[in-house]
Amino acid sequence: MMKKSYVLHVDGQEHHTVVASGDDQTLVQIGDGPLTDLDNWPVQGGKAFSLRVGNRMHLVHLTGMDSKGNVMATINGRPVPLQVMDELKAQALASLGSAAGNGTIAADIPGLVVEVKVGVGQVVHQGEPVIVVEAMKMQNELCASVGGTVTSIPVAAGQTVNPGDPLVIIDPEPGG
C-alpha cells in the first residue's frame, strides 16, 4: 500500500494527514486518528464528488487550486477555504521561518547561476522556485522566502556568485 503525507490548513487549523491507497482501497488518517476507509464517487457530471469517510457522507465541490496549494471547496453546502501541501513542501516553507522576512534571496556558498526562473515585475508566491544555482557540482533550486513582486535580479545565468551576493530581490506583499 502506498502512503503519502499532507498538511491541510482548514479554517485556520493545521491537520497532518496520511492517505494510503492500493488494492482498490483508499484509507485516510487525520492527525493521530485511526486509518479510516475513504470512498468517493463523482456526481453532478464530475463537477463534485460524494465522499464517505468512515460512516459519514459529504458532498464536496472543488473550484480551483493555485500554486500555493490553496483550494476553495464547498463541503455540504458550506464554503471552506483550505490549503493542501505535501509534507515536504510544508516543512520547507516552515523552515524559512525568520528568513522569510525581507525578500532578498542571497547565495549561501560560492556557485554559478544556472537559470533565472522569474523576471522583474513578476508576482511570486512564497516557496515558488525563482533561481537555480550550481554549487559543488549540485544544482540548487532556490525558492521565494516571501510572496510579492520581483523588483531586482542583480545576476544573470552564467554568472559566478559568492556567499551573501543578492540573487533575487522581492518586495513582500502584506502578509506575503
Side-chain angles (χ1 to χ4, degrees):
M1 189 164 268
M2 187 170 84
K3 291 184 179 181
K4 274 195 94 169
S5 297
Y6 297 93
V7 175
L8 304 176
H9 291 271
V10 182
D11 288 335
Q13 294 183 345
E14 183 175 282
H15 303 278
H16 292 266
T17 305
V18 174
V19 177
S21 60
D23 299 326
D24 295 328
Q25 182 182 26
T26 301
L27 302 171
V28 64
Q29 177 183 18
I30 300 173
D32 294 330
L35 275 172
T36 305
D37 283 323
L38 173 77
D39 293 314
N40 68 76
W41 303 269
V43 295
Q44 298 176 351
K47 295 180 182 178
F49 55 95
S50 180
L51 180 71
R52 185 186 60 78
V53 181
N55 294 325
R56 297 183 64 192
M57 296 293 294
H58 304 279
L59 179 62
V60 179
H61 181 256
L62 303 176
T63 47
M65 180 182 251
D66 65 19
S67 65
K68 292 172 68 177
N70 293 310
V71 178
M72 179 49 76
T74 304
I75 301 174
N76 298 328
R78 179 178 153 244
V80 179
L82 48 104
Q83 185 181 51
V84 180
M85 233 181 279
D86 71 56
E87 189 82 30
L88 290 176
K89 183 174 181 180
Q91 288 174 0
L93 286 176
S95 73
L96 291 172
S98 61
N102 66 10
T104 298
I105 299 164
D108 291 331
I109 58 176
L112 176 72
V113 176
V114 176
E115 179 184 3
V116 178
K117 295 181 160 263
V118 295
V120 172
Q122 183 175 336
V123 174
V124 296
H125 299 288
Q126 182 181 23
E128 183 176 337
V130 294
I131 193 164
V132 179
V133 177
E134 184 176 301
M136 300 182 340
K137 298 183 182 180
M138 291 183 59
Q139 290 192 4
N140 301 291
E141 189 174 66
L142 304 179
C143 297
S145 58
V146 297
T149 303
V150 176
T151 57
S152 178
I153 305 170
V155 296
Q159 183 176 336
T160 301
V161 295
N162 293 304
D165 286 353
L167 306 174
V168 177
I169 299 169
I170 300 167
D171 181 23
E173 63 187 25

